[in-house]
């Protein structure tokens, strides 16, 4: 039973990182290529990243401290690609 919980937790963690990666890459590609459809597709991966992070938070195996860190990170990461895009654009305008 514990092994199943750990495997599920590792799967959620893997999916969270994978979906966050696709979210960031597709967001940047959508902005660079000026394709709104690609940018909208990136939001799908952002939502999937959020859902897989929630799967980790609902696990009974993790301590409350780690659940809080994961919950904070899944909320914050939803805003990182758009924020970083603005930072990079501002940097290149100077």
């Amino acid at each position: 039973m514990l092994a199943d919980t750990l495997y599920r937790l590792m799967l959620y963690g893997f999916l969270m990182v994978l979906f966050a990666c696709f979210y960031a890459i597709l967001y940047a590609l959508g902005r660079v290529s000026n394709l709104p459809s690609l940018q909208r597709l990136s939001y799908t991966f952002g939502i999937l990243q959020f859902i897989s992070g929630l799967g980790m938070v609902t696990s009974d195996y993790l301590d409350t401290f780690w659940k809080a860190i994961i919950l904070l990170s899944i909320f914050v990461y939803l805003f990182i690609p758009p924020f970083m895009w603005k930072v990079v654009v501002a940097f290149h305008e100077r």
Side-chain angles (χ1 to χ4, degrees):
M1 188 67 181
L2 179 61
D4 291 338
T5 302
L6 289 177
Y7 289 139
R8 189 173 36 245
L9 190 63
M10 287 191 300
L11 176 63
Y12 283 136
F14 170 76
L15 290 175
M16 183 178 141
V17 172
L18 182 69
F19 292 147
C21 173
F22 283 133
Y23 171 42
I25 289 171
L26 290 175
Y27 183 86
L29 286 175
R31 293 299 298 253
V32 166
S33 62
N34 202 17
L35 291 172
S37 60
L38 196 57
Q39 192 175 344
R40 282 192 298 273
L41 179 64
S42 76
Y43 295 137
T44 303
F45 285 102
I47 292 169
L48 290 172
Q49 175 263 332
F50 184 81
I51 292 169
S52 58
L54 285 179
M56 291 178 69
V57 170
T58 59
S59 171
D60 293 334
Y61 184 75
L62 293 176
D63 187 36
T64 306
F65 174 75
W66 291 109
K67 288 180 182 183
I69 288 176
I70 293 168
L71 193 60
L72 178 67
S73 71
I74 61 176
F75 275 115
V76 169
Y77 197 77
L78 292 174
F79 301 101
I80 289 176
F83 176 74
M84 287 309 299
W85 181 261
K86 290 177 185 176
V87 169
V88 170
V89 168
F91 179 75
H92 285 285
E93 284 177 352
R94 285 196 268 156

Coordinates of all heavy atoms in Angstrom, one line a residue:
M1 N 0.8 -1.2 0.0 CA 0.0 0.0 0.0 C 0.9 1.3 0.0 O 0.6 2.2 -0.7 CB -0.9 0.0 1.2 CG -1.9 1.0 1.2 SD -3.1 0.8 -0.1 CE -4.1 2.1 0.1
L2 N 1.9 1.3 0.8 CA 2.8 2.4 0.8 C 3.5 2.6 -0.5 O 3.7 3.7 -1.0 CB 3.8 2.3 2.0 CG 4.8 3.4 2.1 CD1 4.1 4.7 2.4 CD2 5.8 3.1 3.2
A3 N 3.9 1.5 -1.1 CA 4.6 1.6 -2.4 C 3.6 2.2 -3.5 O 4.1 3.0 -4.3 CB 5.0 0.2 -2.8
D4 N 2.4 1.8 -3.4 CA 1.4 2.4 -4.4 C 1.3 3.9 -4.2 O 1.2 4.7 -5.1 CB 0.0 1.8 -4.2 CG 0.0 0.3 -4.7 OD1 0.9 0.0 -5.5 OD2 -0.9 -0.4 -4.3
T5 N 1.3 4.4 -2.9 CA 1.2 5.8 -2.6 C 2.4 6.5 -3.1 O 2.3 7.6 -3.7 CB 1.0 6.0 -1.1 OG1 -0.2 5.3 -0.7 CG2 0.9 7.5 -0.8
L6 N 3.6 5.9 -2.9 CA 4.8 6.6 -3.4 C 4.9 6.6 -4.9 O 5.3 7.6 -5.4 CB 6.0 5.8 -2.8 CG 6.2 6.0 -1.3 CD1 7.4 5.2 -0.8 CD2 6.5 7.5 -1.0
Y7 N 4.5 5.6 -5.6 CA 4.5 5.6 -7.0 C 3.5 6.6 -7.6 O 3.8 7.3 -8.5 CB 4.1 4.2 -7.6 CG 5.2 3.2 -7.4 CD1 4.9 1.9 -7.0 CD2 6.5 3.5 -7.6 CE1 5.8 0.9 -6.8 CE2 7.5 2.5 -7.4 CZ 7.2 1.2 -7.0 OH 8.1 0.3 -6.8
R8 N 2.4 6.7 -7.0 CA 1.4 7.7 -7.4 C 1.9 9.1 -7.2 O 1.8 10.0 -8.0 CB 0.1 7.5 -6.7 CG -1.1 8.3 -7.2 CD -2.4 8.0 -6.6 NE -2.4 7.7 -5.2 CZ -2.7 6.4 -4.8 NH1 -3.1 5.5 -5.6 NH2 -2.7 6.2 -3.5
L9 N 2.6 9.3 -6.0 CA 3.2 10.6 -5.7 C 4.3 11.0 -6.7 O 4.3 12.1 -7.2 CB 3.7 10.6 -4.3 CG 4.1 11.9 -3.7 CD1 2.9 12.9 -3.6 CD2 4.7 11.7 -2.3
M10 N 5.1 10.0 -7.0 CA 6.2 10.3 -8.0 C 5.6 10.5 -9.4 O 6.1 11.4 -10.1 CB 7.1 9.1 -8.1 CG 8.0 9.0 -6.8 SD 9.4 7.8 -7.0 CE 8.5 6.3 -7.2
L11 N 4.5 9.8 -9.8 CA 3.9 10.1 -11.0 C 3.3 11.5 -11.1 O 3.5 12.2 -12.1 CB 2.8 9.1 -11.3 CG 2.0 9.3 -12.6 CD1 2.9 9.1 -13.8 CD2 0.8 8.3 -12.6
Y12 N 2.6 11.9 -10.1 CA 2.1 13.3 -10.0 C 3.2 14.3 -10.1 O 3.1 15.3 -10.8 CB 1.3 13.6 -8.8 CG -0.1 12.9 -8.8 CD1 -0.6 12.3 -7.7 CD2 -0.9 13.1 -9.9 CE1 -1.9 11.7 -7.6 CE2 -2.2 12.5 -9.9 CZ -2.7 11.9 -8.8 OH -3.9 11.3 -8.7
G13 N 4.3 14.1 -9.4 CA 5.5 15.0 -9.5 C 6.1 15.0 -10.9 O 6.4 16.1 -11.4
F14 N 6.2 13.9 -11.5 CA 6.8 13.8 -12.9 C 5.9 14.6 -13.8 O 6.3 15.4 -14.7 CB 6.9 12.4 -13.3 CG 7.2 12.2 -14.8 CD1 8.5 12.5 -15.2 CD2 6.3 11.8 -15.7 CE1 8.8 12.4 -16.6 CE2 6.6 11.7 -17.0 CZ 7.8 12.0 -17.5
L15 N 4.5 14.3 -13.7 CA 3.6 15.0 -14.6 C 3.6 16.5 -14.4 O 3.5 17.3 -15.4 CB 2.2 14.4 -14.5 CG 2.0 13.0 -15.0 CD1 0.7 12.4 -14.7 CD2 2.3 12.9 -16.5
M16 N 3.7 16.9 -13.1 CA 3.7 18.3 -12.8 C 4.9 19.0 -13.5 O 4.7 20.1 -14.1 CB 3.8 18.5 -11.3 CG 3.7 19.9 -10.9 SD 3.8 20.0 -9.1 CE 4.8 21.4 -8.9
V17 N 6.0 18.4 -13.4 CA 7.2 19.0 -14.1 C 7.1 19.0 -15.6 O 7.4 20.0 -16.3 CB 8.5 18.3 -13.6 CG1 9.7 18.8 -14.4 CG2 8.7 18.6 -12.1
L18 N 6.6 17.9 -16.1 CA 6.5 17.7 -17.6 C 5.5 18.7 -18.1 O 5.8 19.4 -19.1 CB 6.0 16.3 -17.9 CG 5.9 16.0 -19.4 CD1 7.3 15.9 -20.1 CD2 5.2 14.6 -19.6
F19 N 4.3 18.8 -17.5 CA 3.3 19.8 -18.0 C 3.8 21.2 -17.8 O 3.5 22.1 -18.7 CB 2.0 19.6 -17.3 CG 1.3 18.3 -17.6 CD1 0.6 17.6 -16.6 CD2 1.4 17.7 -18.8 CE1 -0.1 16.4 -16.9 CE2 0.8 16.5 -19.2 CZ 0.1 15.9 -18.2
A20 N 4.5 21.5 -16.7 CA 5.1 22.9 -16.6 C 6.0 23.2 -17.7 O 6.1 24.3 -18.2 CB 5.7 23.0 -15.2
C21 N 6.8 22.2 -18.1 CA 7.8 22.4 -19.2 C 7.1 22.7 -20.5 O 7.4 23.7 -21.2 CB 8.6 21.2 -19.3 SG 9.7 21.2 -20.7
F22 N 6.0 21.9 -20.8 CA 5.3 22.2 -22.0 C 4.6 23.5 -22.0 O 4.5 24.2 -23.0 CB 4.3 21.0 -22.3 CG 4.9 19.8 -22.8 CD1 4.5 18.5 -22.3 CD2 5.8 19.8 -23.8 CE1 5.1 17.4 -22.8 CE2 6.3 18.7 -24.4 CZ 6.0 17.4 -23.8
Y23 N 4.1 23.9 -20.8 CA 3.4 25.2 -20.7 C 4.4 26.3 -21.0 O 4.1 27.2 -21.8 CB 2.9 25.3 -19.2 CG 2.4 26.7 -18.9 CD1 1.6 27.4 -19.7 CD2 2.6 27.2 -17.6 CE1 1.1 28.7 -19.4 CE2 2.2 28.4 -17.2 CZ 1.4 29.2 -18.1 OH 0.9 30.4 -17.7
A24 N 5.6 26.3 -20.4 CA 6.5 27.3 -20.7 C 7.0 27.4 -22.1 O 7.1 28.4 -22.8 CB 7.7 27.2 -19.7
I25 N 7.3 26.2 -22.7 CA 7.8 26.1 -24.1 C 6.8 26.6 -25.1 O 7.0 27.4 -26.0 CB 8.3 24.7 -24.4 CG1 9.6 24.5 -23.6 CG2 8.6 24.6 -25.9 CD1 10.1 23.0 -23.7
L26 N 5.5 26.1 -24.9 CA 4.5 26.4 -25.9 C 4.1 27.9 -25.7 O 3.8 28.5 -26.7 CB 3.3 25.5 -25.7 CG 3.5 24.1 -26.2 CD1 2.3 23.2 -25.8 CD2 3.8 24.0 -27.6
Y27 N 4.1 28.4 -24.5 CA 3.8 29.8 -24.3 C 4.8 30.7 -25.0 O 4.5 31.6 -25.8 CB 3.8 30.2 -22.8 CG 3.4 31.6 -22.6 CD1 2.0 31.9 -22.5 CD2 4.3 32.6 -22.4 CE1 1.7 33.3 -22.3 CE2 4.0 33.9 -22.3 CZ 2.6 34.2 -22.2 OH 2.2 35.5 -22.0
A28 N 6.1 30.4 -24.9 CA 7.2 31.2 -25.5 C 7.1 31.0 -27.0 O 7.2 32.0 -27.8 CB 8.5 30.7 -25.0
L29 N 6.9 29.8 -27.5 CA 6.8 29.6 -29.0 C 5.5 30.3 -29.5 O 5.6 30.9 -30.6 CB 6.7 28.1 -29.3 CG 8.0 27.3 -29.2 CD1 7.7 25.8 -29.4 CD2 9.0 27.8 -30.1
G30 N 4.5 30.3 -28.8 CA 3.3 31.1 -29.2 C 3.5 32.6 -29.3 O 3.0 33.2 -30.3
R31 N 4.2 33.1 -28.4 CA 4.5 34.5 -28.4 C 5.5 34.9 -29.5 O 5.4 35.9 -30.2 CB 5.1 35.0 -27.0 CG 4.1 34.9 -25.9 CD 2.9 35.8 -26.1 NE 3.2 37.2 -26.2 CZ 2.9 38.1 -25.3 NH1 2.4 37.7 -24.1 NH2 3.2 39.3 -25.5
V32 N 6.6 34.1 -29.6 CA 7.6 34.3 -30.6 C 7.0 34.2 -32.1 O 7.3 35.1 -32.9 CB 8.8 33.4 -30.5 CG1 9.7 33.4 -31.7 CG2 9.6 33.7 -29.2
S33 N 6.3 33.2 -32.3 CA 5.7 33.0 -33.7 C 4.4 33.7 -33.9 O 3.9 33.7 -35.0 CB 5.5 31.5 -33.9 OG 4.5 31.0 -33.0
N34 N 3.9 34.4 -32.9 CA 2.7 35.2 -33.0 C 1.5 34.3 -33.4 O 0.7 34.7 -34.2 CB 2.9 36.4 -33.9 CG 1.8 37.5 -33.6 OD1 1.2 37.5 -32.6 ND2 1.7 38.4 -34.6
L35 N 1.4 33.2 -32.7 CA 0.3 32.2 -32.9 C -0.5 32.1 -31.7 O -0.1 31.4 -30.7 CB 0.8 30.8 -33.3 CG 1.5 30.7 -34.7 CD1 2.1 29.4 -34.8 CD2 0.5 31.0 -35.8
P36 N -1.6 32.8 -31.6 CA -2.5 32.8 -30.4 C -3.0 31.4 -30.1 O -3.2 31.0 -28.9 CB -3.6 33.7 -30.7 CG -3.2 34.6 -31.8 CD -2.1 33.8 -32.6
S37 N -3.2 30.5 -31.1 CA -3.7 29.2 -30.9 C -2.6 28.4 -30.1 O -3.0 27.6 -29.2 CB -4.0 28.5 -32.2 OG -2.9 28.4 -33.0
L38 N -1.4 28.6 -30.4 CA -0.3 27.9 -29.7 C -0.2 28.4 -28.2 O 0.0 27.6 -27.3 CB 1.0 28.0 -30.4 CG 2.2 27.1 -30.1 CD1 1.8 25.7 -30.3 CD2 3.4 27.5 -30.9
Q39 N -0.4 29.6 -28.1 CA -0.4 30.2 -26.7 C -1.6 29.7 -25.9 O -1.5 29.4 -24.7 CB -0.4 31.7 -26.8 CG -0.2 32.4 -25.5 CD -0.1 33.9 -25.7 OE1 0.0 34.4 -26.8 NE2 -0.2 34.6 -24.6
R40 N -2.8 29.6 -26.5 CA -3.9 29.0 -25.8 C -3.7 27.5 -25.5 O -4.1 27.1 -24.4 CB -5.2 29.2 -26.7 CG -5.8 30.6 -26.6 CD -7.1 30.6 -27.2 NE -7.2 30.3 -28.7 CZ -7.0 31.1 -29.7 NH1 -6.7 32.3 -29.4 NH2 -7.0 30.6 -30.9
L41 N -3.0 26.8 -26.4 CA -2.7 25.4 -26.1 C -1.8 25.3 -24.8 O -1.9 24.4 -24.0 CB -2.0 24.8 -27.3 CG -1.6 23.3 -27.1 CD1 -2.8 22.4 -26.9 CD2 -0.9 22.8 -28.3
S42 N -0.9 26.3 -24.7 CA 0.0 26.3 -23.6 C -0.8 26.4 -22.2 O -0.4 25.8 -21.2 CB 1.0 27.4 -23.7 OG 0.5 28.7 -23.4
Y43 N -1.9 27.1 -22.3 CA -2.7 27.3 -21.1 C -3.3 25.9 -20.6 O -3.5 25.7 -19.4 CB -3.8 28.3 -21.3 CG -3.3 29.7 -21.5 CD1 -3.8 30.5 -22.4 CD2 -2.2 30.2 -20.7 CE1 -3.4 31.8 -22.6 CE2 -1.8 31.5 -20.9 CZ -2.3 32.3 -21.9 OH -1.9 33.6 -22.1
T44 N -3.6 25.1 -21.6 CA -4.0 23.7 -21.3 C -3.0 23.0 -20.5 O -3.3 22.3 -19.5 CB -4.4 23.0 -22.6 OG1 -5.3 23.7 -23.3 CG2 -4.9 21.6 -22.3
F45 N -1.8 23.1 -20.8 CA -0.7 22.4 -20.1 C -0.5 23.1 -18.7 O -0.1 22.5 -17.8 CB 0.6 22.4 -20.9 CG 0.6 21.4 -22.0 CD1 0.3 21.7 -23.3 CD2 0.7 20.0 -21.7 CE1 0.3 20.8 -24.3 CE2 0.7 19.1 -22.6 CZ 0.5 19.4 -24.0
G46 N -0.7 24.4 -18.6 CA -0.7 25.1 -17.3 C -1.7 24.5 -16.4 O -1.5 24.3 -15.2
I47 N -2.9 24.3 -16.9 CA -4.0 23.7 -16.1 C -3.7 22.3 -15.7 O -3.9 21.9 -14.6 CB -5.3 23.8 -16.9 CG1 -5.8 25.3 -17.0 CG2 -6.4 23.0 -16.2 CD1 -6.9 25.5 -17.9
L48 N -3.1 21.5 -16.7 CA -2.7 20.2 -16.3 C -1.6 20.1 -15.3 O -1.6 19.3 -14.4 CB -2.3 19.4 -17.6 CG -3.4 19.1 -18.6 CD1 -2.8 18.5 -19.9 CD2 -4.4 18.1 -18.0
Q49 N -0.7 21.1 -15.3 CA 0.3 21.2 -14.3 C -0.3 21.5 -13.0 O 0.1 20.9 -12.0 CB 1.3 22.3 -14.7 CG 2.4 22.6 -13.7 CD 2.0 23.8 -12.8 OE1 1.3 24.7 -13.2 NE2 2.5 23.8 -11.6
F50 N -1.3 22.3 -12.9 CA -2.0 22.7 -11.7 C -2.7 21.5 -11.1 O -2.6 21.2 -9.9 CB -2.9 23.8 -12.0 CG -3.6 24.3 -10.8 CD1 -3.0 25.2 -9.9 CD2 -4.9 23.9 -10.5 CE1 -3.7 25.7 -8.8 CE2 -5.6 24.4 -9.3 CZ -4.9 25.2 -8.5
I51 N -3.4 20.7 -12.0 CA -4.1 19.6 -11.5 C -3.2 18.5 -11.0 O -3.5 17.8 -10.0 CB -5.0 19.0 -12.7 CG1 -6.1 20.0 -13.0 CG2 -5.6 17.7 -12.3 CD1 -6.9 19.7 -14.2
S52 N -2.1 18.2 -11.7 CA -1.2 17.2 -11.2 C -0.5 17.6 -9.9 O -0.3 16.8 -9.0 CB -0.1 16.9 -12.3 OG 0.6 18.0 -12.6
G53 N -0.3 18.9 -9.7 CA 0.2 19.4 -8.4 C -0.8 19.2 -7.3 O -0.5 18.9 -6.2
L54 N -2.1 19.4 -7.7 CA -3.1 19.1 -6.7 C -3.2 17.7 -6.3 O -3.5 17.3 -5.2 CB -4.5 19.6 -7.2 CG -4.8 21.1 -7.2 CD1 -6.2 21.4 -7.8 CD2 -4.6 21.7 -5.9
G55 N -2.9 16.8 -7.2 CA -2.8 15.4 -6.9 C -1.7 15.1 -5.9 O -1.9 14.2 -5.0
M56 N -0.6 15.8 -6.0 CA 0.4 15.7 -4.9 C 0.0 16.2 -3.6 O 0.2 15.6 -2.5 CB 1.7 16.4 -5.4 CG 2.4 15.7 -6.5 SD 3.9 16.6 -7.0 CE 4.9 16.3 -5.7
V57 N -0.8 17.3 -3.6 CA -1.2 17.9 -2.4 C -2.2 17.1 -1.6 O -2.3 17.0 -0.4 CB -1.8 19.3 -2.7 CG1 -2.5 19.9 -1.5 CG2 -0.7 20.3 -3.1
T58 N -3.0 16.3 -2.4 CA -4.1 15.5 -1.8 C -3.5 14.2 -1.2 O -4.2 13.4 -0.6 CB -5.2 15.2 -2.7 OG1 -4.7 14.5 -3.9 CG2 -5.9 16.4 -3.2
S59 N -2.2 13.9 -1.4 CA -1.6 12.7 -0.9 C -1.5 12.7 0.6 O -1.2 13.8 1.2 CB -0.2 12.5 -1.5 OG 0.4 11.5 -0.9
D60 N -1.8 11.6 1.2 CA -1.6 11.5 2.7 C -0.2 11.3 3.1 O 0.1 11.5 4.3 CB -2.5 10.3 3.2 CG -4.0 10.6 3.1 OD1 -4.4 11.8 3.0 OD2 -4.7 9.6 3.0
Y61 N 0.7 11.0 2.2 CA 2.0 10.7 2.5 C 2.9 12.0 2.9 O 3.7 11.9 3.8 CB 2.7 10.0 1.4 CG 4.1 9.5 1.7 CD1 4.3 8.4 2.5 CD2 5.2 10.2 1.1 CE1 5.6 8.0 2.7 CE2 6.5 9.8 1.4 CZ 6.7 8.7 2.2 OH 8.0 8.3 2.5
L62 N 2.5 13.1 2.3 CA 3.3 14.3 2.5 C 2.9 15.0 3.8 O 1.7 15.0 4.2 CB 3.2 15.3 1.3 CG 3.8 14.8 0.0 CD1 3.5 15.8 -1.1 CD2 5.3 14.6 0.1
D63 N 3.9 15.7 4.4 CA 3.7 16.5 5.6 C 3.0 17.8 5.1 O 3.1 18.2 4.0 CB 5.0 16.8 6.2 CG 4.9 17.5 7.5 OD1 3.9 17.2 8.3 OD2 5.8 18.3 7.8
T64 N 2.3 18.5 6.0 CA 1.7 19.7 5.8 C 2.6 20.8 5.2 O 2.2 21.5 4.3 CB 1.0 20.3 7.0 OG1 0.1 19.2 7.6 CG2 0.1 21.5 6.7
F65 N 3.8 20.8 5.7 CA 4.8 21.8 5.2 C 5.1 21.6 3.7 O 5.0 22.6 2.9 CB 6.1 21.6 6.0 CG 7.3 22.4 5.4 CD1 7.3 23.8 5.7 CD2 8.3 21.8 4.7 CE1 8.3 24.5 5.2 CE2 9.3 22.6 4.2 CZ 9.4 23.9 4.5
W66 N 5.2 20.4 3.3 CA 5.5 20.1 1.8 C 4.3 20.3 1.0 O 4.3 20.8 -0.2 CB 6.0 18.7 1.6 CG 7.4 18.6 2.2 CD1 7.8 17.9 3.3 CD2 8.6 19.2 1.7 NE1 9.1 18.0 3.6 CE2 9.6 18.8 2.6 CE3 8.9 20.0 0.6 CZ2 10.9 19.3 2.4 CZ3 10.2 20.4 0.5 CH2 11.2 20.1 1.3
K67 N 3.1 20.0 1.5 CA 1.9 20.3 0.8 C 1.7 21.8 0.6 O 1.3 22.2 -0.5 CB 0.7 19.8 1.6 CG 0.6 18.3 1.6 CD -0.7 17.8 2.4 CE -0.8 16.3 2.4 NZ -2.0 15.9 3.1
A68 N 2.1 22.6 1.6 CA 2.0 24.1 1.4 C 3.0 24.6 0.4 O 2.6 25.4 -0.4 CB 2.2 24.7 2.8
I69 N 4.2 24.0 0.4 CA 5.2 24.4 -0.6 C 4.7 24.1 -2.0 O 4.8 24.9 -3.0 CB 6.5 23.8 -0.3 CG1 7.1 24.5 0.9 CG2 7.5 23.9 -1.5 CD1 8.4 23.9 1.4
I70 N 4.2 22.9 -2.2 CA 3.7 22.4 -3.5 C 2.5 23.3 -3.9 O 2.4 23.7 -5.1 CB 3.4 20.9 -3.5 CG1 4.6 20.1 -3.3 CG2 2.7 20.5 -4.8 CD1 4.4 18.7 -3.0
L71 N 1.6 23.5 -3.0 CA 0.4 24.4 -3.4 C 0.8 25.8 -3.8 O 0.3 26.3 -4.8 CB -0.5 24.4 -2.2 CG -1.9 24.9 -2.4 CD1 -2.6 24.1 -3.4 CD2 -2.7 25.0 -1.1
L72 N 1.8 26.3 -3.1 CA 2.3 27.7 -3.4 C 3.0 27.6 -4.8 O 2.7 28.5 -5.6 CB 3.3 28.2 -2.4 CG 3.9 29.5 -2.7 CD1 2.9 30.6 -2.6 CD2 5.0 29.8 -1.7
S73 N 3.7 26.6 -5.0 CA 4.5 26.5 -6.3 C 3.5 26.3 -7.5 O 3.8 26.9 -8.6 CB 5.5 25.4 -6.3 OG 4.9 24.2 -6.3
I74 N 2.5 25.6 -7.4 CA 1.6 25.4 -8.5 C 0.8 26.6 -8.8 O 0.4 26.9 -9.9 CB 0.6 24.2 -8.3 CG1 -0.3 24.3 -7.1 CG2 1.4 22.9 -8.3 CD1 -1.3 23.1 -7.0
F75 N 0.5 27.4 -7.8 CA -0.2 28.7 -8.0 C 0.8 29.7 -8.7 O 0.4 30.4 -9.7 CB -0.7 29.3 -6.7 CG -2.1 28.8 -6.3 CD1 -2.2 28.1 -5.2 CD2 -3.2 29.1 -7.1 CE1 -3.5 27.6 -4.8 CE2 -4.4 28.6 -6.8 CZ -4.6 27.9 -5.6
V76 N 2.0 29.8 -8.1 CA 2.9 30.8 -8.7 C 3.4 30.4 -10.1 O 3.5 31.3 -10.9 CB 4.2 30.9 -7.7 CG1 5.3 31.6 -8.3 CG2 3.8 31.5 -6.4
Y77 N 3.5 29.2 -10.4 CA 4.0 28.8 -11.7 C 3.0 29.1 -12.8 O 3.4 29.3 -14.0 CB 4.4 27.3 -11.8 CG 5.3 27.1 -13.0 CD1 6.6 27.5 -13.0 CD2 4.8 26.6 -14.2 CE1 7.4 27.4 -14.1 CE2 5.6 26.5 -15.3 CZ 6.9 26.9 -15.3 OH 7.6 26.7 -16.4
L78 N 1.8 29.3 -12.5 CA 0.8 29.7 -13.5 C 1.2 31.1 -14.1 O 0.8 31.4 -15.2 CB -0.6 29.7 -13.0 CG -1.2 28.3 -12.6 CD1 -2.5 28.5 -11.9 CD2 -1.3 27.5 -13.8
F79 N 1.9 31.9 -13.3 CA 2.1 33.3 -13.7 C 3.6 33.5 -14.2 O 3.9 34.6 -14.7 CB 1.9 34.2 -12.5 CG 0.4 34.2 -12.1 CD1 0.1 33.5 -11.0 CD2 -0.6 34.8 -12.8 CE1 -1.2 33.4 -10.5 CE2 -1.9 34.7 -12.4 CZ -2.2 34.0 -11.3
I80 N 4.4 32.5 -14.0 CA 5.8 32.7 -14.4 C 6.1 32.9 -15.9 O 6.8 33.8 -16.3 CB 6.7 31.5 -13.8 CG1 6.8 31.7 -12.3 CG2 8.1 31.5 -14.4 CD1 7.5 30.5 -11.6
P81 N 5.6 32.0 -16.8 CA 5.9 32.3 -18.2 C 5.4 33.6 -18.7 O 6.2 34.3 -19.4 CB 5.1 31.1 -18.9 CG 5.2 30.0 -17.9 CD 4.9 30.7 -16.6
P82 N 4.2 34.1 -18.4 CA 3.8 35.5 -18.9 C 4.7 36.5 -18.3 O 5.1 37.5 -18.9 CB 2.4 35.6 -18.5 CG 1.9 34.2 -18.3 CD 3.0 33.4 -17.8
F83 N 5.0 36.4 -17.0 CA 5.8 37.4 -16.3 C 7.3 37.4 -16.9 O 7.8 38.5 -17.2 CB 5.9 37.1 -14.8 CG 6.8 38.0 -14.1 CD1 6.5 39.3 -13.8 CD2 8.1 37.6 -13.6 CE1 7.3 40.2 -13.2 CE2 8.9 38.4 -13.0 CZ 8.6 39.7 -12.7
M84 N 7.8 36.2 -17.1 CA 9.2 36.2 -17.7 C 9.2 36.7 -19.1 O 10.2 37.3 -19.6 CB 9.7 34.8 -17.6 CG 10.1 34.3 -16.2 SD 11.2 35.5 -15.4 CE 12.6 35.5 -16.4
W85 N 8.1 36.5 -19.9 CA 8.0 37.1 -21.2 C 8.1 38.6 -21.2 O 8.9 39.2 -21.9 CB 6.7 36.6 -21.9 CG 6.7 37.2 -23.3 CD1 6.0 38.3 -23.7 CD2 7.3 36.7 -24.4 NE1 6.2 38.5 -25.0 CE2 7.0 37.5 -25.5 CE3 8.2 35.6 -24.7 CZ2 7.5 37.3 -26.8 CZ3 8.7 35.3 -25.9 CH2 8.3 36.2 -27.0
K86 N 7.4 39.2 -20.2 CA 7.5 40.7 -20.1 C 8.9 41.1 -19.7 O 9.4 42.1 -20.1 CB 6.5 41.1 -19.1 CG 5.1 41.0 -19.6 CD 4.0 41.4 -18.5 CE 2.6 41.1 -19.0 NZ 1.6 41.4 -18.1
V87 N 9.5 40.3 -18.8 CA 10.9 40.7 -18.4 C 11.9 40.6 -19.6 O 12.7 41.5 -19.8 CB 11.4 39.8 -17.2 CG1 12.8 39.9 -17.0 CG2 10.6 40.0 -16.0
V88 N 11.8 39.6 -20.3 CA 12.7 39.4 -21.5 C 12.4 40.5 -22.5 O 13.4 41.0 -23.1 CB 12.5 38.0 -22.1 CG1 13.2 37.9 -23.4 CG2 13.0 36.9 -21.1
V89 N 11.2 40.8 -22.8 CA 10.9 41.8 -23.8 C 11.4 43.2 -23.3 O 12.0 43.9 -24.1 CB 9.4 41.9 -24.0 CG1 9.0 43.2 -24.8 CG2 8.9 40.7 -24.8
A90 N 11.2 43.5 -22.0 CA 11.7 44.8 -21.5 C 13.2 44.8 -21.5 O 13.8 45.8 -21.8 CB 11.2 44.9 -20.0
F91 N 13.9 43.7 -21.3 CA 15.3 43.6 -21.3 C 15.9 43.9 -22.7 O 16.8 44.6 -22.9 CB 15.8 42.2 -20.8 CG 17.3 42.0 -20.8 CD1 18.1 42.7 -19.9 CD2 17.9 41.3 -21.8 CE1 19.5 42.5 -19.9 CE2 19.2 41.1 -21.8 CZ 20.0 41.7 -20.9
H92 N 15.2 43.3 -23.7 CA 15.7 43.5 -25.1 C 15.3 44.8 -25.7 O 15.9 45.2 -26.7 CB 15.1 42.4 -26.0 CG 15.8 41.1 -25.7 ND1 17.1 40.8 -26.2 CD2 15.4 39.9 -25.1 CE1 17.4 39.6 -25.8 NE2 16.5 39.0 -25.1
E93 N 14.3 45.5 -25.1 CA 14.0 46.9 -25.5 C 15.1 47.9 -25.1 O 15.2 48.9 -25.8 CB 12.6 47.3 -25.0 CG 11.5 46.6 -25.8 CD 10.1 47.0 -25.2 OE1 10.1 47.7 -24.1 OE2 9.1 46.6 -25.8
R94 N 15.8 47.6 -24.1 CA 16.8 48.5 -23.6 C 18.0 48.3 -24.4 O 18.7 48.5 -25.1 CB 17.2 48.2 -22.2 CG 16.2 48.8 -21.3 CD 16.7 48.9 -19.9 NE 16.4 47.6 -19.2 CZ 17.0 47.2 -18.1 NH1 18.1 47.9 -17.7 NH2 16.7 46.1 -17.5

